[in-house]
Amino acid sequence: MIKDTPKLILRDIPDLHKVDVYLKNGGFDAFKKALTWTPDEVTNEVKKSGLRGRGGAAFPTGLKWSFMPKGIDKPKYLAINGDESEPGSFKDRQIFEQNPLQLVEGILIAGYAMGLKAGYIYIRGEYHKWVKLMEDAVKSAYDAGFVGEKMKETFGTNFSMDIYVHKGAGAYICGEETSLMNSLEGERGYPRVKPPFPAQFGLWGMPTTVNNVETIATVPAILNMGAENYSKIGAPKHPGTLLFGVSGHVNKPGVYELPTGTLLTDIIYDVCGGVIGNKKIKAVIPGGSSMPPLRGDEIEGVMMDEESLKPLGTHIGTGGIMVMDEDTDLVKITLRIAHFYHHESCGQCTPCREGTGWMEKILKRILKGEGTSKDLDLLVSVANNIEGNTICALGDAAAWPVRGFVTKFRDEFEKRVKPSREFVAPNVVHGKVTSKDKLVFA
Amino acid sequence: MEIRFSEAELKEIEQHKSKYPNPKSALMPVLWMAQNKWGWLSNEVMQYVADLLNLTYAHVLGVATFYTMYFKKPMGKYHVQVCTNVSCMLHKGDEMFEQVSNKLGIGHNERTSDGLFSLEEVECMGACGGAPMVAINEDFYEKTNISFVSKMLDELK
């Protein structure tokens, strides 16, 4: 059973988005604490906490911050990634709604640690309401003198920075960090080749760090409780609390803040009230639609943190858990996922642009009952040839789920395809058809 | 119709420009303003935005066509968006799309002849915990069902 677990971000305090309520509940204490340290000490504290990025790659946050060049006379920027377009992910919007000022405070701490000029919160265009909520929160923080020029006086410091909200306009690819930067620059959201990495050549050619909304919103909590205490929450190599967004066939879907390393079965059965109609589970996607699935008979004992999921061939991703019951048509689901990545491929790299389309086409054929068992191998082959051969991770994101579903649920796919491809090939002698032989390809 | 922002809107554009070191970055916010004002981005609107921001028409067109939420043709007064991605599909979002499509008599990215409704089969809107979901213009309706959506569409007529 899940005991009472700490809530570091989605704290149960009504009206926490209002400045006065936030202040009454320790608001900006963490930033004030940061100001008593040197910037490097702040970065080291984040390093010591073991905090890893919540946007999908689980990269150590403090280490990322330390990549930013020091002692140079250039403006430096932070882009806060709230694009949240991965199907199955809906956690950041909970932060915009419930605790936007903690995100603002986190940005200030990151800004002080890295010596930033400004932070840009990039929010997906579909989140009209949440863009507005975040804009209101930023404005209220400005009005109260916590952000911008006025913060120098408020906090008695030489440091100041600006925070802006930038609204996207419907492009999954903009959640990729270099694509997000292009989008912020008023360009099409095409990913950039790395290197140069954002810390060297980022927004407008200046040193830039890109962090997920949840990652930054966690930082004030780390400073408040101390890195050591934070590192003791959850899984040792991937500590802290994580916002799990659970969707699909569960009785109580939603966003739940739980320690990393929580058992997947506890999340499904205890927190989310089990599967609708008490059905069996056929498949679970553990971290958003780009992560390979787990079979229903694999989930017993699975802990939800990056180091526990890696040996199972999947990842924590964005913590978006999608539960599918025994009656789910996985061919249909795989086709839907393939369609999504085909739709969202930006078209720069051939393997992704063409491969995602091929995978969709083959899966459509299988769904119609016109596929053969060779098509299953072909799907895996196409996926293998996309993976690792593209500028950005969208290629991998498209390849992994298709390959994952086809290999883990091969039995189900086999039932939907013809065993072999049959050709009626004419036997031609001197330009005349003499007989029709059936050629069978295994 | 004359394509021109009001003085107040031009001031807002200046404000957007001031947020970024390069005014080109104001393109997306300005395209949003233009779409909110004129409903969609016609060639004339894109040319006007290009002139305002000292960009080429080709660049503005390139950006406007890259992002699906910028409309390149007139849409309905009520833009109905039905999500059919995985979490919604697990709750029959795909059937909901078919039903709404039949009810309105239009398909994906089409508009009713009276210009009242347009329909879009959208990719994940980030409301997976509230599947199935439908959005009408900027408002999300989560954990919804066809009878609720149907009634709402009737009321909007």
Side-chain angles (χ1 to χ4, degrees), chain A residues 88 90 93 120 124 126-127 164 166 168-170 183-189 204 247-249 253 332 336 340, chain B residues 19-21 24-25 28 32 59 62 66-69 84-85 87 90-91 94 123-126 128-129 140 142:
Chain A
F90 50 106
R93 76 171 212 188
Y120 293 88
R124 64 180 306 183
E126 291 85 348
Y127 280 0
Y164 305 106
H166 187 93
S183 185
L184 262 168
E185 290 185 22
E187 302 279 347
R188 280 175 271 187
W204 304 286
S247 65
H249 295 139
K332 197 171 150 189
R336 189 63 188 85
F340 174 74
Chain B
K19 296 194 294 195
Y20 311 94
K24 192 187 203 177
S25 291
M28 285 184 73
W32 270 120
H59 181 78
F66 187 88
Y67 300 91
T68 52
M69 292 182 75
T84 63
N85 210 303
S87 298
L90 293 172
H91 289 278
D94 49 337
E123 295 302 341
C124 184
M125 302 275 277
C128 315
F140 283 25
E142 301 184 22

Side-chain angles (χ1 to χ4, degrees), chain A residues 82-123:
Chain A
D83 192 55
E84 185 149 86
S85 308
E86 173 90 346
S89 310
F90 50 106
K91 63 188 178 68
D92 292 342
R93 76 171 212 188
Q94 219 58 39
I95 298 174
F96 302 139
E97 192 168 320
Q98 270 176 265
N99 203 355
L101 290 164
Q102 191 165 318
L103 177 61
V104 169
E105 187 176 358
I107 296 169
L108 295 181
I109 295 167
Y112 174 71
M114 292 181 275
L116 305 176
K117 183 174 189 296
Y120 293 88
I121 308 170
Y122 189 104
I123 304 177

Side-chain angles (χ1 to χ4, degrees), chain B residues 2-64:
Chain B
E2 196 192 11
I3 292 169
R4 185 174 281 277
F5 281 121
S6 68
E7 283 308 312
E9 286 160 340
L10 288 171
K11 241 185 223 162
E12 198 185 328
I13 290 174
E14 287 310 308
Q15 223 174 3
H16 281 305
K17 281 156 92 172
S18 72
K19 296 194 294 195
Y20 311 94
N22 186 336
K24 192 187 203 177
S25 291
L27 177 55
M28 285 184 73
V30 174
L31 285 177
W32 270 120
M33 285 175 67
Q35 178 155 307
N36 290 339
K37 189 176 170 80
W38 292 295
W40 65 292
L41 303 174
S42 64
N43 289 340
E44 293 74 27
V45 168
M46 285 190 270
Q47 183 64 59
Y48 175 61
V49 169
D51 294 343
L52 267 183
L53 295 175
N54 265 331
L55 300 168
T56 62
Y57 167 75
H59 181 78
V60 175
L61 178 72
V63 170

Side-chain angles (χ1 to χ4, degrees), chain A residues 130-174:
Chain A
W130 294 273
V131 169
K132 183 87 184 38
L133 287 172
M134 198 61 225
E135 279 175 346
D136 290 348
V138 170
K139 186 175 181 301
S140 67
Y142 264 101
D143 291 346
F146 294 125
V147 187
E149 226 9 69
K150 272 200 270 176
M151 67 184 283
K152 286 185 179 171
E153 201 182 313
T154 310
F155 296 108
T157 170
N158 284 328
F159 169 76
S160 78
M161 74 179 289
D162 284 302
I163 298 175
Y164 305 106
V165 176
H166 187 93
K167 185 181 182 179
Y172 169 76
I173 190 62
C174 290

